[in-house]
Amino acid sequence: MTQRVPVGDEPEGGTVGVVDVPTHRVIATIPVPGDGARPMGTAMSPDGRKLYTADGPSGEVSVIDPVRRVVVKRIRTGGSPRGVAVR
């Protein structure tokens, strides 16, 4: 069971925080590039290899490598995505 949870930083924008569950502390931040990127919703792939963030006003979804803590791809969605779900 993981002891870390990704949390989008929508009010401030531009980052995803990695929260250590036992201590309730942000232990790392992952920059999310893009004009207007404000990560609002996050979802982890079933295998834990990709983290997806709905980046609101930027009109994109970012794909993050959670081990390296870097954005590996940005997917243009149009509109203003506020949530994401992965099957």
Side-chain angles (χ1 to χ4, degrees):
M1 184 170 135
T2 184
Q3 295 292 312
R4 296 183 178 153
V5 176
V7 178
D9 184 17
E10 188 272 325
E12 298 298 320
T15 64
V16 171
V18 179
V19 177
D20 180 67
V21 175
T23 65
H24 302 274
R25 296 185 189 271
V26 176
I27 59 169
T29 56
I30 303 167
V32 178
D35 187 30
R38 290 177 22 208
M40 297 178 177
T42 63
M44 188 72 73
S45 64
D47 64 7
R49 296 174 67 191
K50 294 177 184 168
L51 170 66
Y52 297 86
T53 66
D55 298 336
S58 72
E60 296 178 329
V61 168
S62 293
V63 182
I64 297 172
D65 177 329
V67 174
R68 296 183 315 163
R69 298 182 179 154
V70 296
V71 173
V72 294
K73 184 175 185 177
R74 292 164 55 195
I75 303 166
R76 191 96 185 117
T77 63
S80 185
R82 299 189 183 282
V84 62
V86 178
R87 292 176 19 150

